[in-house]
Amino acid sequence: MSSSTEIADTSENVLSSSDGYSYEDEWWEMNCSIIPPEFNRLMLVGVVGAVIAFISVCFNTFLFVVLCRNPRHRHSHLVYLMFLSVADIFLSAAYILLFPVNLYMDYFASELLAAAWWSYMRIMITISHVFISTSAFLICAAAFERYITISKIACQFARHHRLIIIGACIFIAIIAKGPMYFEFEVVPNANCTGVTSLTAIPSEFSESEPYKTAYKFWFRNLLTVALPFIMCFYLNFAIMHRLRIQHLGAKLFRFATSEHRQNIRAATLMLVAVTCSYLASNLLNVVVYTWELVDKESLLSENIRPLYTLSSDLVSLLTVVASACRLPIYLVCNARIRCEILDYVDNCVLTHLHIKPYSGLGSKRCRATTVRYCDTGSGYMVYDAPNKKGERRVRSVGTGLDRVVLSVAMGSIKASQSTTHLTIPLNNNAMIIQEE
């Protein structure tokens, strides 16, 4: 009997130790094991996303340098593009440091990358969200100024206080997204070591009411997601409608030549492309936000969660894609920026590298030509500025109806001031007009 009792006790101890080992192993696997990223996600975020974000950083840094070289841009509507490029630089750099590095540290099980990532994770998440919201507000501000300009609405504040508007955009973005830094904490992950030694948990105040529902969910999402999207959509549609009306009206005059129509289309294309790139990159974000508003629990279910993760990755990736596309959009649509970029490449980049500039670029650059309208008695004539040989080219302007309109306009201007300067943009030329 005693021998049987000892065998039973020994078997019970073995089972209990075996059960204890399996429970500990299961706990370790759930909390401390490294889950390598899926191959598709690694390629999408870790390779494609990293390359696009790096291109975005290079493009926007180059664009910022080009725009800063001209002091006149600080007092024009291009100042919005200057600060927009700065926002794109920061959010693209933050994308590289947050998403690809996070996948690399799990894929390579690198403790060095893990220590670095956890050290800057909170501040980088906050910076990326602040500048994402800033870029959205800047696009809305630029679109609004463009709308009131083509609508001939008397609003000098938008034109003369652009820096104040830009400062307000940054301030509102900080108010909406700045507290994200304090909404979670980095703490030790129980007894885990290595890559999984740290984890992030929500802070107490971020889960308290009314902060969680009123501020985080309603105020923040409505202000930084829904409102900019709706404003850009409306302003984009309104600008296209206004330009279409002006284009139809311009057909009454000879000035509405193919060059004039191309200039209108170019200005429209640039504005539409910038706003549409923002709308396209944020459409999925709006869809996900709406789904969270209706039924957030379903997104965390076993069947929908992989789609939710993929959608979150695409939202961040599309934002970086939109940032990288801005410089190509400006090059294609805006002759003024294209001219400055090509001049900078020739004078600063190619010269320093001792590379002969491409001769075909100069022919497409925009130049400013000063002309004079002089009443000759037989309609208004254009006297171009003398060339190097001292020769002056004279050409007639418009049809008979155009001359009548110009005569009336110049007569009205003479009554108000003796000397007048007007500027008429052409397709690739800016024509400065002086009436004598």
Side-chain angles (χ1 to χ4, degrees):
M1 291 292 296
S2 60
S3 176
S4 300
T5 304
E6 290 176 0
I7 294 174
D9 292 341
T10 303
S11 301
E12 183 177 355
N13 291 335
V14 171
L15 289 173
S16 62
S17 62
S18 176
D19 291 339
Y21 174 77
S22 62
Y23 172 77
E24 181 180 354
D25 185 63
E26 182 180 358
W27 182 90
W28 182 272
E29 184 177 356
M30 290 179 59
N31 295 275
C32 299
S33 63
I34 301 174
I35 303 176
E38 298 178 358
F39 178 78
N40 294 335
R41 187 164 185 257
L42 181 64
M43 290 294 103
L44 178 66
V45 178
V47 178
V48 177
V51 171
I52 295 176
F54 179 75
I55 293 174
S56 176
V57 171
C58 296
F59 279 6
N60 285 284
T61 302
F62 177 76
L63 180 63
F64 177 74
V65 171
V66 171
L67 293 178
C68 282
R69 292 176 67 244
N70 193 337
R72 291 178 300 176
H73 294 334
R74 302 167 193 171
H75 307 285
S76 70
H77 68 281
L78 294 178
V79 70
Y80 291 114
L81 304 186
M82 190 185 304
F83 280 89
L84 182 60
S85 63
V86 175
D88 290 336
I89 292 170
F90 278 98
L91 68 90
S92 300
Y95 178 90
I96 297 175
L97 295 175
L98 286 174
F99 297 98
V101 173
N102 179 254
L103 294 181
Y104 297 156
M105 78 179 192
D106 289 338
Y107 184 79
F108 297 105
S110 173
E111 296 185 15
L112 179 62
L113 287 179
W117 191 82
W118 285 110
S119 65
Y120 63 69
M121 184 264 295
R122 295 171 66 193
I123 185 65
M124 281 299 154
I125 287 180
T126 306
I127 289 175
S128 64
H129 280 272
V130 166
F131 281 106
I132 287 173
S133 300
T134 301
S135 63
F137 296 149
L138 289 176
I139 293 173
C140 290
F144 177 74
E145 180 176 327
R146 174 67 175 170
Y147 173 73
I148 64 174
T149 299
I150 65 174
S151 301
K152 300 179 181 179
I153 299 175
C155 183
Q156 298 299 325
F157 182 85
R159 300 186 184 94
H160 296 164
H161 299 83
R162 294 186 179 97
L163 292 179
I164 296 178
I165 296 175
I166 292 172
C169 293
I170 299 174
F171 178 76
I172 296 173
I174 293 175
I175 292 297
K177 295 294 184 69
M180 292 184 68
Y181 180 82
F182 306 100
E183 291 178 1
F184 47 89
E185 301 174 354
V186 178
V187 297
N189 187 16
N191 295 325
C192 300
T193 58
V195 176
T196 58
S197 61
L198 298 174
T199 187
I201 61 173
S203 59
E204 293 183 4
F205 90 95
S206 66
E207 296 298 312
S208 61
E209 298 292 347
Y211 182 86
K212 180 179 180 180
T213 302
Y215 179 82
K216 286 177 61 177
F217 189 77
W218 288 105
F219 174 78
R220 177 181 291 167
N221 288 326
L222 287 176
L223 182 64
T224 62
V225 178
L227 183 61
F229 186 87
I230 295 173
M231 285 186 62
C232 279
F233 183 82
Y234 170 77
L235 291 173
N236 193 33
F237 178 80
I239 289 169
M240 292 175 62
H241 179 67
R242 286 283 182 180
L243 288 176
R244 183 175 179 273
I245 294 176
Q246 293 180 4
H247 174 61
L248 294 176
K251 287 183 178 181
L252 296 175
F253 301 96
R254 278 279 301 276
F255 284 121
T257 59
S258 60
E259 276 191 338
H260 185 66
R261 290 194 294 269
Q262 288 175 6
N263 189 51
I264 293 177
R265 284 196 298 267
T268 305
L269 179 61
M270 177 180 173
L271 185 61
V272 169
V274 171
T275 54
C276 284
S277 64
Y278 166 77
L279 294 174
S281 62
N282 281 270
L283 179 60
L284 182 59
N285 191 22
V286 173
V287 173
V288 173
Y289 164 69
T290 305
W291 197 338
E292 290 177 347
L293 185 65
V294 175
D295 187 10
K296 186 176 182 179
E297 295 181 357
S298 64
L299 293 173
L300 303 178
S301 62
E302 185 176 354
N303 296 328
I304 305 297
R305 189 176 181 85
L307 179 61
Y308 184 44
T309 303
L310 177 61
S311 301
S312 300
D313 291 337
L314 288 176
V315 166
S316 303
L317 179 60
L318 290 174
T319 302
V320 177
V321 170
S323 300
C325 290
R326 302 204 206 282
L327 179 60
I329 289 173
Y330 302 155
L331 279 172
V332 172
C333 302
N334 193 300
R336 183 178 181 182
I337 296 179
R338 180 170 64 247
C339 173
E340 295 192 15
I341 289 176
L342 295 178
D343 283 339
Y344 179 78
V345 171
D346 279 357
N347 298 332
C348 299
V349 179
L350 298 182
T351 303
H352 284 42
L353 296 177
H354 304 288
I355 300 175
K356 183 179 179 180
Y358 176 57
S359 59
L361 297 179
S363 60
K364 297 182 180 180
R365 299 181 189 178
C366 59
R367 301 298 179 192
T369 303
T370 302
V371 298
R372 292 188 180 124
Y373 280 105
C374 298
D375 191 357
T376 62
S378 59
Y380 279 88
M381 307 295 291
V382 177
Y383 287 79
D384 292 338
N387 56 21
K388 294 181 179 180
K389 297 180 180 180
E391 300 174 348
R392 188 188 298 271
R393 187 162 60 100
V394 182
R395 49 195 168 91
S396 179
V397 178
T399 63
L401 178 59
D402 297 332
R403 295 170 185 171
V404 172
V405 174
L406 284 173
S407 300
V408 174
M410 292 302 178
S412 300
I413 294 174
K414 285 180 179 179
S416 59
Q417 54 187 3
S418 58
T419 304
T420 303
H421 295 273
L422 301 175
T423 301
I424 297 179
L426 297 178
N427 185 29
N428 288 320
N429 299 278
M431 189 163 65
I432 305 171
I433 302 169
Q434 178 179 349
E435 201 283 323
E436 294 181 343

